[in-house]
Amino acid sequence: MPNPHAMAEITWPEFQAYVDKGAVAFIPTGALEQHGPHLPLGVDHMLPTAIALDIAAEVGGMVAPAIPYGYKSMTRSAGGPFFPGSTGLDGATLSSVLQDIIREFVRHGIRQICVLDGNYENLWFLNEGIDLAMRELGDTGLRVMCMQHWEFLNEDTLGKLFPDGYPGIELEHAAVIETSMMMHYYPDLVRTDLIPDNPAVDAPPYDVWPPHRDWVPESGALISAAGASVEKGRIIADQYRRDITAAVRREFPARARAAE
Amino acid sequence: MPNPHAMAEITWPEFQAYVDKGAVAFIPTGALEQHGPHLPLGVDHMLPTAIALDIAAEVGGMVAPAIPYGYKSMTRSAGGPFFPGSTGLDGATLSSVLQDIIREFVRHGIRQICVLDGNYENLWFLNEGIDLAMRELGDTGLRVMCMQHWEFLNEDTLGKLFPDGYPGIELEHAAVIETSMMMHYYPDLVRTDLIPDNPAVDAPPYDVWPPHRDWVPESGALISAAGASVEKGRIIADQYRRDITAAVRREFPARARAAE
Amino acid sequence: MPNPHAMAEITWPEFQAYVDKGAVAFIPTGALEQHGPHLPLGVDHMLPTAIALDIAAEVGGMVAPAIPYGYKSMTRSAGGPFFPGSTGLDGATLSSVLQDIIREFVRHGIRQICVLDGNYENLWFLNEGIDLAMRELGDTGLRVMCMQHWEFLNEDTLGKLFPDGYPGIELEHAAVIETSMMMHYYPDLVRTDLIPDNPAVDAPPYDVWPPHRDWVPESGALISAAGASVEKGRIIADQYRRDITAAVRREFPARARAAE
Amino acid sequence: MPNPHAMAEITWPEFQAYVDKGAVAFIPTGALEQHGPHLPLGVDHMLPTAIALDIAAEVGGMVAPAIPYGYKSMTRSAGGPFFPGSTGLDGATLSSVLQDIIREFVRHGIRQICVLDGNYENLWFLNEGIDLAMRELGDTGLRVMCMQHWEFLNEDTLGKLFPDGYPGIELEHAAVIETSMMMHYYPDLVRTDLIPDNPAVDAPPYDVWPPHRDWVPESGALISAAGASVEKGRIIADQYRRDITAAVRREFPARARAAE
Amino acid sequence: MPNPHAMAEITWPEFQAYVDKGAVAFIPTGALEQHGPHLPLGVDHMLPTAIALDIAAEVGGMVAPAIPYGYKSMTRSAGGPFFPGSTGLDGATLSSVLQDIIREFVRHGIRQICVLDGNYENLWFLNEGIDLAMRELGDTGLRVMCMQHWEFLNEDTLGKLFPDGYPGIELEHAAVIETSMMMHYYPDLVRTDLIPDNPAVDAPPYDVWPPHRDWVPESGALISAAGASVEKGRIIADQYRRDITAAVRREFPARARAAE
Amino acid sequence: MPNPHAMAEITWPEFQAYVDKGAVAFIPTGALEQHGPHLPLGVDHMLPTAIALDIAAEVGGMVAPAIPYGYKSMTRSAGGPFFPGSTGLDGATLSSVLQDIIREFVRHGIRQICVLDGNYENLWFLNEGIDLAMRELGDTGLRVMCMQHWEFLNEDTLGKLFPDGYPGIELEHAAVIETSMMMHYYPDLVRTDLIPDNPAVDAPPYDVWPPHRDWVPESGALISAAGASVEKGRIIADQYRRDITAAVRREFPARARAAE
């Protein structure tokens, strides 16, 4: 059966019905990028797709096909370009893809868009794509939210995920958070026997080109993922479903309600 | 279980193993576009993904995540921009996405790329993306094929699909070919009770802007899809698996063999 | 004497008089590209210029200077980039030239533009240039037609041109149609003693980069041009004058009439 | 008969023969722009085409099809955008067209290119197109000249053209120089009865947007053209043939000689 | 007297002497952006200029003119576009400026470049400009560092700056850090009587377009700047001089030493 | 003390006060470019900054931070790219920077902008940036002036500067005019002992790529600067203050007056 919230799986009359209700359109964005020996290359677009489908089910929204390629992997936050499979778009390309999609969605009558990102390096090129679309489109009533899901993790959740203390988001690449979420959402795609347990990266406070391969562990994970569990993934998913839904309802109050 | 030929589902060491074997990388391209009341908006990227996975299994290749958005819907070939959900990228955006992906794949050591397109309007912007990548990359040994799958349909297959005569590819939007293939590859996503049976479009030999809505039937299918069947879908898939595989082996002889 | 329909040959007050009448502006587009040993490199912009002047005389329109360079020669449709003189613009460049010209014509008060193309590879980049101009200009009342002249050839004409059966437009590069038209419009520029009689190209249903030189005959003609004649050129020109004129009047009904 | 130096009129084997000789390729550039009530809109691309054919005949070169559209008309130098028919490309478009043509000519083996411009406003965007091509192409041995023909007018010629004193090039739009040259090269296209005799423009030393229409005479000529004559046109053409030829031979010494 | 490390103040032979020594070129980047009622609009380019001149004096380098305009002000990190004077470049523009400067510096023989940024929102567009330059330039031996100065603040310094606890960099806009540094480097430009003491911003974990004005205090400072002092500015400057110098020497070991 | 007319030195409430008065915003543009052995690389942005501050003081305007990098140095007008430190932006980059700044200033309520340029090669890319901004912004009431300061030099001033006759602006690079102005505005930055006295360049009437180094004197000055003096600098500054102020008042009559 089609997922009724997955835009690629519905027909044009069904799409139009969502528009008529003033539904929110979610655009998941991510990357094709290394995520250690234990997670697949698609983590960064798979996770926001799954989260967005959860939220869309809550608010009666549609989830557009994820933009599966993202901005270039930086060494300190995702291991760098060295890793096989890490496939980076130019910043202007990524911005243009998002700008084009927003322009078209607005042409179809959508006025509430939530960009849900799963690749740290994407953020500013998404911001720019949104800003260029807003400027180009002028006064349409369009509102756009843009978020990176981990920004929603609160103290309580982090306490449960990291009983020994939170090492900080900057090391959470292919580590406890992403691994747990993949175990929750896509258990078949996690090679649990290969979860790495390397020490944390200790990179200096700047970037350099050409990048230094030796700033990153062999595995590609920036810190140990050994503490990951499906239970932790569920905790995260639950918090997201509650708090991102609330944020979406807060920013798109009237229309989002109508679509539920 | 991960599909071992789906690039998004494999890990970076698995990706590297493909590169080491000299494997072919397939890039499916498509669109988010109306396909009548009976087919989902994602047909044009779902079909080339499925076909590419079939061929990749034959030749030991990898299938990259599909580029799920494509060039703008033209009225005579896909119903035009009027239809809800038909979401077109600018031509330069589509070219840049493909150029960026090719550049990165070559950086990773891939030298054999097959772009497999499912959206008629994409072709020239894919050609351009490939050409710009070839020019930029210089002398790397890279070879790229680009195809639209229906170009492979032969007389024999068309005879079976259209016992009353082939009306021509230009009307085959959301019609017998695509509907049959969706019934074969994604049976759950076809609303068989809604398959339209409208008469064929009779459009003049030119385009016009703003486009004429009345050149297209209400349904969005350019001709009747009533003759579609899962059996016809299987016939097409079988011919593709045989003939596209043969073409890929012909153009990438030595290395493709090594990867099998 | 100036041709009163050639925009480059008239003065600004004469241009303004056309605008005041609501005249159609024709923009011929083509290429600088090999056309066998018997036809000059300018065929693809010379023919649409001649055709457009014919139609403009019928409907009281103006013909802008042709864009004499076009998109890159593809091997299967025009022999490929190997041939000396085949000079391809990037797709975005061609789109921009057309977009800029349309923007300026609209600024001058023109609201009816007919793009008449003579180079197969140009079409989608012309479509894009027109679409970008329409989007940029907003609600001006502008209407644009875009056509490739051979799309107008009807059964009757093809029967006269190819008494032994029409091999299809895809092989008609520097062949019977173009050679006959050049004999009709520019007889001095045809080297009739060099008209090639090679067998037809038999290329596979895909493209490949770098392109294969051996897919194309030595001559550059994709099939024999031996059946060409000035009489056949006249037949084509007559059909175009009648049918393209009719199409232009149909799409630009009121204003085109006023300009006659 | 084809002009053997006009690239659009020769065949690909003839083009190749020029390349084999190391011939110079001339690229005329101009505009579609008002030139008073007496000269056609195409003056700025017609004149450099004619001059280039003269020089090409001297040095055994080829003349590419003129780029018939140019940069935007500035009020102080060409009357401004107000005038019907003055059709300006964006600067980046013009640069790209030239860059693309140069890239392709170099691919064909040409190493000596002379850009001969007839539209004052074009110069810097031509410079940029050339510079971008040089940078992109790297070390090919390519040499490019770029000139605006009036820069070659010497004291002696100016004395003959302006017995009462030369008012300066900045006012010579649709005035004595261009009118005389058109009378020489394209006598049929000059409306001699409409040659304007307005006083000279007296514009301030800056530009302003939106431009002031009242900085320019009604006619569009920036100063009287009454002194124009076919004899003066011949004097200019003779000086150009002698001095531009000499400059071309000086910059392209060995190969240009081989092609004669 | 010219500052011998300020590139704009030295002559071309002096510039060449630096190149001959293998000196590091620093490129300060910043913005023209509101910084509360007490700091001037130029803070973000003034501070990195001052810091870079300090470091350049240590390592014998040159400081290029700052790029004085930067990326768009985001509400959560700099108050947003509402504030008078906050003047944002498009992301692609900022990237291009940096890419062009790097290309030119490499052409002049520079192989060690340190981009020192003072505007939080700039970072990813600087990264992209550097990456595009590296890719374009190929194998030149060029090395580039990119840093935002506050990333160097260590525990010890932060303890001195914030005896009551560090509120985090995300609120440090026009607050204690920047105000103290301006008091140290440009005391005449601080309106000490206008230093704001508003409570901290409490913004949600996402951005929204159009942005919410009420997420930001009236003043434009995201948190109180009342704790600022010239002494704290000196502490920061001292740490930077020591630690950034060390980082520069670590990344550019041989050549930087030669230039001292 | 802050210069109350320097935009980078004022606060956002002070900026807003200028906007409320309808003040003129000046944008100085220049280059980082060789200016002989005696003048610093920043001459071309330092001089228009100083001039603009003079005019702004007269008319109550603000001076934005100079764009300190400009278009590429041409051999005949500035010595060419050979000289160490001459750092050229691509034309499109320069246009975009200016377009972005204008767009933002208009968003802030500014409607009167004066671009004051000090680098000969910049002009057309500034024109284009302004034109693109005007087109994009539509009907806002914005007016923009663009000038190169030396265009204001009148007969009287030139007579005082060049008692032996004015050699023409095209040779005035790092020569009497610029050297005198630097002696007036930035006396500490002139190496008076190194003022060159080389003979004038005698370049042909065209450009060539790759450029000829031997068209330019060793020093980089295109003609002797020996006649420069601080007194001549004062004469120029006085004429500019009078005549540019008058021009600004003429073009921005009502609002400029309000701001004084």
Short mmCIF file of all heavy atoms in Angstrom, two decimals, chain E residues 33-58:
data_model
loop_
_atom_site.label_atom_id
_atom_site.label_comp_id
_atom_site.label_asym_id
_atom_site.label_seq_id
_atom_site.Cartn_x
_atom_site.Cartn_y
_atom_site.Cartn_z
N GLU E 33 27.23 44.88 9.40
CA GLU E 33 26.12 44.26 10.12
C GLU E 33 25.92 44.96 11.46
O GLU E 33 26.90 45.32 12.11
CB GLU E 33 26.47 42.79 10.35
CG GLU E 33 25.33 41.92 10.83
CD GLU E 33 25.78 40.48 11.03
OE1 GLU E 33 26.72 40.25 11.82
OE2 GLU E 33 25.20 39.60 10.40
N GLN E 34 24.69 45.06 11.87
CA GLN E 34 24.38 45.69 13.17
C GLN E 34 25.13 44.98 14.29
O GLN E 34 25.23 43.75 14.30
CB GLN E 34 22.88 45.66 13.42
CG GLN E 34 22.30 44.32 13.84
CD GLN E 34 22.30 44.07 15.33
OE1 GLN E 34 22.61 44.97 16.13
NE2 GLN E 34 22.01 42.84 15.70
N HIS E 35 25.65 45.77 15.22
CA HIS E 35 26.27 45.22 16.42
C HIS E 35 25.82 46.02 17.63
O HIS E 35 26.65 46.51 18.41
CB HIS E 35 27.80 45.22 16.29
CG HIS E 35 28.31 44.03 15.56
ND1 HIS E 35 28.26 43.90 14.20
CD2 HIS E 35 28.85 42.84 16.01
CE1 HIS E 35 28.75 42.73 13.82
NE2 HIS E 35 29.12 42.06 14.90
N GLY E 36 24.53 46.14 17.73
CA GLY E 36 23.98 46.84 18.88
C GLY E 36 24.13 48.34 18.76
O GLY E 36 24.69 48.85 17.78
N PRO E 37 23.66 49.05 19.77
CA PRO E 37 23.71 50.52 19.74
C PRO E 37 25.09 51.07 20.07
O PRO E 37 25.30 52.27 19.96
CB PRO E 37 22.70 50.92 20.84
CG PRO E 37 22.70 49.76 21.77
CD PRO E 37 22.97 48.54 20.96
N HIS E 38 25.99 50.18 20.44
CA HIS E 38 27.27 50.65 20.99
C HIS E 38 28.48 50.32 20.11
O HIS E 38 29.56 50.86 20.32
CB HIS E 38 27.49 50.03 22.38
CG HIS E 38 27.55 48.53 22.35
ND1 HIS E 38 26.57 47.74 21.79
CD2 HIS E 38 28.49 47.68 22.81
CE1 HIS E 38 26.89 46.48 21.91
NE2 HIS E 38 28.05 46.41 22.51
N LEU E 39 28.26 49.45 19.14
CA LEU E 39 29.38 49.07 18.28
C LEU E 39 29.05 49.44 16.83
O LEU E 39 27.90 49.39 16.41
CB LEU E 39 29.66 47.57 18.38
CG LEU E 39 30.15 47.03 19.73
CD1 LEU E 39 30.35 45.52 19.65
CD2 LEU E 39 31.44 47.71 20.16
N PRO E 40 30.08 49.76 16.06
CA PRO E 40 29.83 50.18 14.69
C PRO E 40 29.49 48.98 13.79
O PRO E 40 29.72 47.83 14.14
CB PRO E 40 31.15 50.83 14.28
CG PRO E 40 32.18 50.17 15.11
CD PRO E 40 31.51 49.84 16.42
N LEU E 41 28.97 49.30 12.61
CA LEU E 41 28.54 48.26 11.66
C LEU E 41 29.71 47.42 11.15
O LEU E 41 29.51 46.31 10.68
CB LEU E 41 27.82 48.91 10.47
CG LEU E 41 26.52 49.65 10.81
CD1 LEU E 41 26.01 50.42 9.59
CD2 LEU E 41 25.45 48.66 11.26
N GLY E 42 30.93 47.96 11.26
CA GLY E 42 32.06 47.26 10.66
C GLY E 42 32.78 46.29 11.58
O GLY E 42 33.82 45.74 11.19
N VAL E 43 32.23 46.01 12.76
CA VAL E 43 32.94 45.16 13.73
C VAL E 43 33.50 43.88 13.09
O VAL E 43 34.66 43.52 13.30
CB VAL E 43 32.00 44.78 14.89
CG1 VAL E 43 32.53 43.58 15.68
CG2 VAL E 43 31.81 45.97 15.83
N ASP E 44 32.65 43.23 12.31
CA ASP E 44 33.02 41.89 11.86
C ASP E 44 34.16 41.86 10.85
O ASP E 44 34.77 40.81 10.65
CB ASP E 44 31.79 41.17 11.27
CG ASP E 44 30.89 40.61 12.36
OD1 ASP E 44 31.24 40.69 13.54
OD2 ASP E 44 29.81 40.09 12.01
N HIS E 45 34.43 42.98 10.20
CA HIS E 45 35.65 42.99 9.37
C HIS E 45 36.80 43.74 10.04
O HIS E 45 37.96 43.51 9.72
CB HIS E 45 35.40 43.48 7.93
CG HIS E 45 34.95 44.90 7.78
ND1 HIS E 45 33.64 45.28 7.69
CD2 HIS E 45 35.66 46.05 7.70
CE1 HIS E 45 33.54 46.59 7.55
NE2 HIS E 45 34.75 47.08 7.55
N MET E 46 36.46 44.61 10.98
CA MET E 46 37.53 45.32 11.69
C MET E 46 38.31 44.37 12.61
O MET E 46 39.54 44.44 12.67
CB MET E 46 36.94 46.45 12.52
CG MET E 46 36.41 47.59 11.66
SD MET E 46 35.51 48.78 12.69
CE MET E 46 35.18 50.07 11.47
N LEU E 47 37.60 43.52 13.33
CA LEU E 47 38.29 42.65 14.28
C LEU E 47 39.23 41.66 13.59
O LEU E 47 40.40 41.57 13.96
CB LEU E 47 37.30 41.93 15.19
CG LEU E 47 36.63 42.83 16.25
CD1 LEU E 47 35.65 42.01 17.09
CD2 LEU E 47 37.68 43.50 17.14
N PRO E 48 38.77 40.93 12.59
CA PRO E 48 39.74 40.01 11.97
C PRO E 48 40.89 40.73 11.28
O PRO E 48 41.99 40.18 11.18
CB PRO E 48 38.90 39.21 10.97
CG PRO E 48 37.58 39.87 10.88
CD PRO E 48 37.42 40.74 12.08
N THR E 49 40.66 41.96 10.82
CA THR E 49 41.78 42.72 10.26
C THR E 49 42.83 42.98 11.34
O THR E 49 44.04 42.77 11.13
CB THR E 49 41.28 44.06 9.67
OG1 THR E 49 40.38 43.77 8.61
CG2 THR E 49 42.44 44.89 9.15
N ALA E 50 42.36 43.41 12.49
CA ALA E 50 43.30 43.71 13.59
C ALA E 50 44.03 42.45 14.05
O ALA E 50 45.26 42.46 14.27
CB ALA E 50 42.55 44.35 14.75
N ILE E 51 43.27 41.38 14.21
CA ILE E 51 43.90 40.13 14.64
C ILE E 51 44.92 39.65 13.61
O ILE E 51 46.04 39.25 13.94
CB ILE E 51 42.82 39.04 14.87
CG1 ILE E 51 41.85 39.48 15.98
CG2 ILE E 51 43.45 37.69 15.18
CD1 ILE E 51 40.56 38.65 16.02
N ALA E 52 44.53 39.71 12.35
CA ALA E 52 45.43 39.24 11.30
C ALA E 52 46.71 40.06 11.26
O ALA E 52 47.80 39.52 11.03
CB ALA E 52 44.72 39.27 9.94
N LEU E 53 46.59 41.36 11.48
CA LEU E 53 47.80 42.19 11.50
C LEU E 53 48.71 41.78 12.67
O LEU E 53 49.94 41.75 12.53
CB LEU E 53 47.44 43.67 11.57
CG LEU E 53 46.92 44.25 10.24
CD1 LEU E 53 46.31 45.64 10.44
CD2 LEU E 53 48.04 44.32 9.18
N ASP E 54 48.11 41.44 13.79
CA ASP E 54 48.90 40.94 14.92
C ASP E 54 49.66 39.66 14.54
O ASP E 54 50.85 39.53 14.82
CB ASP E 54 47.97 40.61 16.11
CG ASP E 54 47.70 41.82 16.99
OD1 ASP E 54 48.20 42.93 16.69
OD2 ASP E 54 46.96 41.65 17.98
N ILE E 55 48.93 38.73 13.97
CA ILE E 55 49.55 37.43 13.64
C ILE E 55 50.59 37.63 12.53
O ILE E 55 51.68 37.03 12.57
CB ILE E 55 48.50 36.40 13.19
CG1 ILE E 55 47.28 36.37 14.10
CG2 ILE E 55 49.14 35.01 13.06
CD1 ILE E 55 47.55 35.98 15.52
N ALA E 56 50.25 38.45 11.56
CA ALA E 56 51.17 38.67 10.45
C ALA E 56 52.48 39.26 10.94
O ALA E 56 53.56 38.94 10.42
CB ALA E 56 50.53 39.59 9.41
N ALA E 57 52.39 40.11 11.96
CA ALA E 57 53.62 40.68 12.52
C ALA E 57 54.48 39.58 13.15
O ALA E 57 55.71 39.63 13.10
CB ALA E 57 53.28 41.76 13.54
N GLU E 58 53.81 38.58 13.72
CA GLU E 58 54.55 37.47 14.33
C GLU E 58 55.23 36.59 13.28
O GLU E 58 56.36 36.15 13.47
CB GLU E 58 53.59 36.59 15.16
CG GLU E 58 52.94 37.29 16.33
CD GLU E 58 53.92 37.50 17.48
OE1 GLU E 58 54.83 36.67 17.65
OE2 GLU E 58 53.77 38.50 18.22
#
